[in-house]
Amino acid sequence: MTLEEAKIKHEELVRLLEKYAKEYYVDDNPSVSDAEYDQKMEQLQALEKEFPSLITITSPTQRIGGTVLKGFKKVTHTIPMMSLADVFNEDELVEWVSKAEKELNQEVEFSAEMKIDGLSMSLVYEDGVLQCCSTRGDGTTGEDVTTNVLTIPSIPTRINAMGHIEIRGEVYMPKKSLEELNKAREQNGEPLFANARNAAAGSIRNLDSSIAKSRKLDAWWYYLENAQSLGFRKHSDAINYIKSLGFKVNPENRVIKGKEEIVKYVQEYNKKRNSLDYDIDGIVLKVNDFNKYDILGYTAKNPKWAVAYKFPPEEVVTKLLDIIYTVGRTGKITPNAVLDPVRVAGSLVSRATLHNEDFILEKGLMIGDYVTLRKAGDIIPEVVNAIINRREGNELPFKMIENCPDCGSELVKIDAMHFCKNPQCPSRQIEALIHFASKDAMDIEGIGEKVCEQFFAQGYLTDISSIYGLSNYREDILKTDGWSYKSVDNLLNAIEKSKGNSLERLLFGLGIKEVGEKMAKTLAKLYSTMDNLASKTIYDLLKVADIGEVVARSIYNYFHDENNISLINALKEYKVNMMYLGTTLIDETNFFFNKKVVLTGTLTKFGRKEVTNLLEDFGAHCSSAVSKATDLVIVGDNPGSKYDKALKLNVRIMSEDEFSEIIENLKNN
């Protein structure tokens, strides 16, 4: 057989095996016996053995697992994978629907779908061939997990569609698979997985693809990212198209209209959720008409055309055994409940935050009480109340501590919170180190909680800047249990790499009070360099939208504290980057700088998201509502109530053509 003949035969076998796999795993309607399927697979394996050049990652022979990777490559999503805003009860859901209908000035058709408790995933196809499977990650950057995802037999490697296709959905572990997995782990003396989501995520992120294969995962697909460019007007039509391409689409999805129908759907699946073969933790509602998406718009993190309704949390009863205290990086003292371990919403819980003294007193909690426990949003353990009628008389009343549990310093109460004001408190130092190295800050892989505690105790770490001096202790670290040449080199390389991070990561990592991720990015984009920011007065900072007196004073005080000045100088000596590396067109003299801008109507030249990004690049602040504080409303086709309100409040109105002209002038100057 010639290579050309082998290619033709290979293509034929691949098509047949993909067809049989779809019939078996997606349609649940196989047309051939297992023996015939196995026979075709053996023929393909023999052909690829004779002609190795025919083997590709998408070949059915490569989906059996067994590849061991050194790590996962990073993947930048062409369009960010945004998370959804949550609502937690039917009143909030109805309010969200009412708000959308008011904004659109009509009754809205929604796609109602299961909120699968799994791992978000994106599949990219080019001319019908799968190119990449990637995790959501932070929404902008995920991980290429193609090798592991290909072990899921229901996912097609080829589809009957040319051009670029991106499909998003959720990889999950069926309840039956979790049951079988935990049974095997119990027999082997291994720890059990708390829930199906953790098991699925752990399987996909395991570097050995044979692990993913053995876990019997599956996936539901619920979004065609480039649907509009493919000519689809409705989300439900796009979902039907996905199904026609061979993807598993959840059969419980429904197109509905009206608040009564929506509430009825939610109540129906709240009752049904335990009878499904997979975990759901709520319902997702999406506006069905794609043309309404730009009108409703986006927040910094969420689309406004979709929402996730979270089912009421499951409540259980357990015993409050003790109250212990932790010290945060700002010195905040947090009381924590030590609980008799109990399973709630799929995981074993033995700790829960009690927030502060006032929270405990309001709940009337006593040590030894039986308490009701739930997971807020199915995630965070929360003590609901004490069961007073179960008290036996030997419970101990709660009394807030007066001294730091770590350094012994006297605590200071500010509003509802207690603080340790000793900047040298070991717990504060360790928490600051953990925060600085965390994924959302400087993202130094290898420096987690245990490493920070260990290196702090050994004297290798003292403050944030000492992270960059860890190379001086290389030989000492190598003598420590659990560290090898490779792991130490990986750690030091990660530290070195972090020096090149953009300014906003450093600002967030420094832990400046009142400066979160969003504020850090605003400051970095606006002032470009650390020195420029440090030179600003409180009056300068107050000119920035969203910065009030408390935030301005906190930032100013940070950069005028001798210890912080010394820390920044030390970081400079280690050559840690102090500049913003993102795209910025900010010039304090440009037209849009510091203006509060609202968009309304359909923007045809740029698209709403692009307009928002451009405005933010020029230093504007985009808002979703018109008020007296609004400086400008940019109006597209078919503007809604925001336009009317702008006229009423005499807010300046700008057409999309005028906006386009100003943008071009700013870019050219």
Side-chain angles (χ1 to χ4, degrees), residues 363-366 369-372 383-389 391:
K363 299 279 185 186
L365 300 178
M366 299 178 71
D369 269 340
Y370 282 94
V371 295
T372 304
V383 174
V384 181
N385 58 272
I387 304 175
I388 296 173
N389 61 10
R391 283 181 178 163

Side-chain angles (χ1 to χ4, degrees), residues 445-481:
E445 194 170 345
I447 297 189
E449 184 177 345
K450 289 182 180 177
V451 170
C452 284
E453 290 174 351
Q454 180 187 25
F455 286 2
F456 188 88
Q458 291 170 318
Y460 307 155
L461 292 178
T462 52
D463 65 4
I464 285 168
S465 68
S466 66
I467 288 174
Y468 295 97
L470 273 178
S471 57
N472 297 325
Y473 296 99
R474 186 177 186 278
E475 297 306 316
D476 297 302
I477 297 171
L478 281 169
K479 296 173 185 174
T480 307
D481 287 345

Side-chain angles (χ1 to χ4, degrees), residues 333-463:
I333 307 296
T334 303
N336 297 278
V338 179
L339 303 163
D340 194 8
V342 63
R343 192 166 293 278
V344 54
S347 59
L348 198 64
V349 174
S350 59
R351 294 280 192 279
T353 179
L354 295 175
H355 303 291
N356 54 53
E357 179 185 28
D358 294 351
F359 178 89
I360 298 171
L361 294 175
E362 284 169 13
K363 299 279 185 186
L365 300 178
M366 299 178 71
I367 295 170
D369 269 340
Y370 282 94
V371 295
T372 304
L373 182 74
R374 69 183 178 195
K375 278 192 179 178
D378 276 355
I379 298 171
I380 303 167
E382 174 185 53
V383 174
V384 181
N385 58 272
I387 304 175
I388 296 173
N389 61 10
R390 290 191 63 174
R391 283 181 178 163
E392 299 170 350
N394 55 357
E395 293 79 14
L396 301 175
F398 163 76
K399 187 177 187 309
M400 186 66 189
I401 57 173
E402 297 178 353
N403 298 89
C404 175
D406 194 354
C407 70
S409 300
E410 188 173 345
L411 301 183
V412 176
K413 188 172 185 181
I414 302 174
D415 297 325
M417 308 304 302
H418 285 76
F419 290 86
C420 169
K421 303 300 286 184
N422 174 16
Q424 303 307 315
C425 175
S427 286
R428 289 187 62 180
Q429 296 281 7
I430 291 169
E431 289 296 325
L433 289 164
I434 294 168
H435 172 74
F436 184 83
S438 67
K439 191 173 183 64
D440 292 332
M442 294 299 275
D443 192 18
I444 305 176
E445 194 170 345
I447 297 189
E449 184 177 345
K450 289 182 180 177
V451 170
C452 284
E453 290 174 351
Q454 180 187 25
F455 286 2
F456 188 88
Q458 291 170 318
Y460 307 155
L461 292 178
T462 52
D463 65 4

